[in-house]
Amino acid sequence: MASHTFVELKTPISGTYQQPTGLFINNEFVEGVDKQTFEVTNPTTEEVICSVSEATEKDVDIAVAAARAAFNGPWRQTTPQQRSILLIKLADLCEKNTDLLASVESLDNGKSITLARGDVGAVVGCLRYYGGWADKIEGKTIDIAPDMFHYTRQEPIGVCGQIIPWNFPLLMLAWKIGPALATGNTVVMKTAEQTPLSGLVFARLVKEAGFPPGVLNIITGFGKVAGAAISAHMGIDKVAFTGSTLVGRQIMKSAASSNLKKVTLELGGKSPNIVFNDADIEAAVSWVNFGIYYNHGQCCCAGSRIYVQEGVYDQFVAAFKKRAEQNKVGDPFHPETFQGPQVSQLQYDRIMSYIETGKQEGATVETGGGRHGEKGYFIQPTIFSNVTNDMKIMQEEIFGPVCAISKFSTEEDVIALGNDSTYGLAAAIHTKDLNTAIRVSNALHAGTVWVNCYNMLNHQLPFGGYKESGIGRELGEAALANYTQTKSVAIRLGGPLF
């Protein structure tokens, strides 16, 4: 264990632990070729936690070469059942190390320890799920003619580049590697520069689980350098990205102009959360609160556009305001904290600028609208009412604890309002009428629709967007298609035809 690729850190939950700071390539932590590093900031204290290696194009080349060697070598010889065993063992190690992984997540991301533990639980479930799929990737025989034998094979794509965001560092890592490794691919993963620490701790478990060197490589660095190198790399066969629509467009262009690598994208959202007159108001308030303030509003599917039918509008706004003001904002390591800080100064400033825009556009601040406390990137849970659909805060993704409420009269009106967005990631409906629930669910242009709940994601259920919210699906059986390609084989059993 080289001391220059580890540092001793401490959290209130884990106590002292060894934090890897190098690039995880070929099952070892190494310094970057140029020996560059960058600082990681604690969003709760605004202080530097440590520095980690900054990958450049040269390091991406090394990681891709390691992934290619593993794909052509030991990983190709690994049976599907053995891939299953390795993924399930990795899940078991994550479960065993829940407190360590969760506390590191809270340290550089700022999310509450309670939610971080929930994330680790979801990581464990996701890895076990895809461990179960690994030996069930099957082709089929196709009966075309008696003198021919036709069959298909589902084969891995090859070396996959994966770029994940900072809002769910461990969970997005699991969503990406689960189907990729289950189907026999190898991976070069770039974590977000704001939140690299938990992925590096996770990397130690990859080696402990027994994955061959080069199968999963995890590098830290900046999107404009390491991320750009991955999306343009001629040795990478497929790229998967979760993040902003703006960057997603750049990745598509880069993939097209290089080797036309396959692309899946899980991008932004501005999801409508619709409350009908007949909804259970108390339950709806609870779910709407969870839908926007979960993970500090830093959620691509956050229910940030709230449409309330006119018959219950005033009642709902009053109840929602009261509920939002009860959210515990503060130290992520306190067990009662629901909302920690935003991830960075950049995000804090961006969210505060949207709040100012909302005020200038004439929306009413029901609660919040300012900084919480004196230190750290904390923002008060904020509710805007009297918002019109043309306002910036109703159209653009804010990615923070800020929501906009608007009144509607008829079902037809709210369907039009809900679909009046360039995004289509998620939506929700609150009603006691099953016919309304199904009718409106079918009419909304969104990849996921929740009824009388919100953010109820599961590794068994596909997740992804319509319109500018992405291409392809994460999770469920559907995600396997992102990482396999179909080969058709035709065998002639008879004699010559010509």
Side-chain angles (χ1 to χ4, degrees):
M1 184 186 295
S3 61
H4 52 264
T5 54
F6 286 82
V7 65
E8 188 172 275
L9 294 179
K10 185 178 183 180
T11 78
I13 304 297
S14 67
T16 302
Y17 76 99
Q18 290 295 312
Q19 171 66 53
T21 58
L23 310 174
F24 185 72
I25 300 175
N26 251 345
N27 276 9
E28 300 295 337
F29 290 101
V30 297
E31 290 183 290
V33 171
D34 293 342
K35 300 194 185 311
Q36 296 172 193
T37 63
F38 63 95
E39 293 179 341
V40 182
T41 301
N42 182 334
T44 304
T45 64
E46 303 183 39
E47 296 168 357
V48 173
I49 302 168
C50 65
S51 293
V52 298
S53 292
E54 181 186 338
T56 65
E57 295 90 341
K58 301 168 199 170
D59 302 300
V60 172
D61 287 344
I62 294 168
V64 170
R68 180 64 63 189
F71 181 75
N72 291 334
W75 199 231
R76 188 180 289 274
Q77 302 306 317
T78 303
T79 65
Q81 186 179 50
Q82 188 58 32
R83 294 202 301 267
S84 172
I85 290 167
L86 287 169
L87 278 166
I88 292 168
K89 186 172 182 183
L90 181 57
D92 291 343
L93 287 169
C94 288
E95 189 169 56
K96 181 181 172 184
N97 289 277
T98 292
D99 274 357
L100 173 59
L101 290 167
S103 58
V104 176
E105 195 86 319
S106 293
L107 182 65
D108 71 355
N109 171 276
K111 70 175 65 192
S112 82
I113 189 66
T114 305
L115 294 182
R117 286 192 179 109
D119 283 6
V120 177
V123 166
V124 171
C126 182
L127 293 176
R128 284 185 180 144
Y129 175 77
Y130 285 109
W133 267 113
D135 57 0
K136 300 169 189 68
I137 313 297
E138 299 168 345
K140 55 172 75 169
T141 59
I142 302 163
D143 189 4
I144 296 176
D147 55 357
M148 294 289 292
F149 175 48
H150 293 88
Y151 66 93
T152 61
R153 283 169 49 86
Q154 295 301 315
E155 297 187 348
I157 291 173
V159 175
C160 298
Q162 300 181 326
I163 303 168
I164 58 172
W166 46 259
N167 55 339
F168 291 93
L170 283 170
L171 191 56
M172 294 301 99
L173 192 157
W175 284 19
K176 290 284 187 288
I177 69 168
L181 298 181
T183 48
N185 299 277
T186 57
V187 172
V188 176
M189 162 78 67
K190 191 198 85 68
T191 54
E193 53 264 33
Q194 299 88 343
T195 55
L197 301 184
S198 58
L200 294 173
V201 173
F202 179 92
R204 299 183 73 172
L205 306 181
V206 171
K207 185 174 183 179
E208 187 178 342
F211 282 86
V215 170
L216 175 56
N217 307 277
I218 300 176
I219 62 172
T220 51
F222 292 92
K224 61 186 178 184
V225 178
I230 287 171
S231 58
H233 205 287
M234 297 299 289
I236 289 179
D237 304 300
K238 184 253 165 68
V239 62
F241 170 75
T242 297
S244 72
T245 298
L246 177 68
V247 176
R249 292 182 197 276
Q250 295 170 344
I251 285 172
M252 279 198 81
K253 289 177 183 176
S254 187
S257 61
S258 53
N259 57 346
L260 208 66
K261 57 178 65 65
K262 291 159 184 63
V263 177
T264 50
L265 304 170
E266 199 266 279
L267 305 175
K270 190 72 176 176
S271 301
N273 205 346
I274 301 166
V275 181
F276 283 94
N277 283 336
D278 69 340
D280 178 328
I281 296 300
E282 187 179 349
V285 163
S286 178
W287 284 112
V288 169
N289 183 75
F290 186 67
I292 179 59
Y293 298 123
Y294 170 63
N295 206 48
H296 328 168
Q298 298 172 150
C299 193
C300 52
C301 57
S304 53
R305 289 191 294 147
I306 301 162
Y307 297 104
V308 183
Q309 201 160 14
E310 55 194 6
V312 293
Y313 181 85
D314 292 338
Q315 179 189 355
F316 178 88
V317 171
F320 180 35
K321 175 184 175 182
K322 183 179 177 183
R323 179 65 185 84
E325 289 171 351
Q326 293 169 357
N327 291 340
K328 294 281 196 290
V329 182
D331 177 9
F333 287 102
H334 192 289
E336 292 182 6
T337 295
F338 177 67
Q339 182 185 317
Q342 307 312 127
V343 77
S344 66
Q345 182 73 55
L346 182 68
Q347 286 301 119
Y348 173 89
D349 291 342
R350 185 172 179 272
I351 296 162
M352 292 303 289
S353 75
Y354 272 111
I355 290 172
E356 285 308 307
T357 298
K359 293 173 182 176
Q360 290 165 12
E361 286 183 324
T364 303
V365 179
E366 292 288 342
T367 188
R371 181 187 182 96
H372 175 90
E374 300 300 320
K375 194 175 188 182
Y377 310 126
F378 295 93
I379 294 176
Q380 297 167 351
T382 300
I383 299 172
F384 281 103
S385 64
N386 299 314
V387 182
T388 57
N389 234 43
D390 59 347
M391 288 185 184
K392 198 172 178 181
I393 57 171
M394 192 62 106
Q395 287 296 324
E396 297 185 14
E397 185 176 35
I398 298 173
F399 223 66
V402 181
C403 63
I405 308 181
S406 184
K407 189 185 297 185
F408 74 92
S409 54
T410 68
E411 181 181 309
E412 292 73 23
D413 289 342
V414 82
I415 289 169
L417 289 167
N419 289 334
D420 183 20
S421 173
T422 57
Y423 297 112
L425 190 56
I429 303 157
H430 303 271
T431 178
K432 292 176 185 171
D433 188 319
L434 183 61
N435 288 339
T436 300
I438 294 173
R439 204 166 49 240
V440 178
S441 293
N442 290 348
L444 290 170
H445 303 159
T448 295
V449 180
W450 291 291
V451 178
N452 295 328
C453 60
Y454 208 95
N455 282 332
M456 298 302 283
L457 298 160
N458 187 275
H459 49 260
Q460 293 176 253
L461 195 66
F463 179 76
Y466 284 25
K467 299 189 279 189
E468 293 182 22
S469 286
I471 298 170
R473 290 295 178 268
E474 307 262 26
L475 304 179
E477 183 181 0
L480 300 169
N482 296 337
Y483 293 97
T484 57
Q485 46 196 352
T486 302
K487 176 179 285 182
S488 298
V489 180
I491 301 175
R492 175 75 179 157
L493 304 177
L497 282 177
F498 308 104

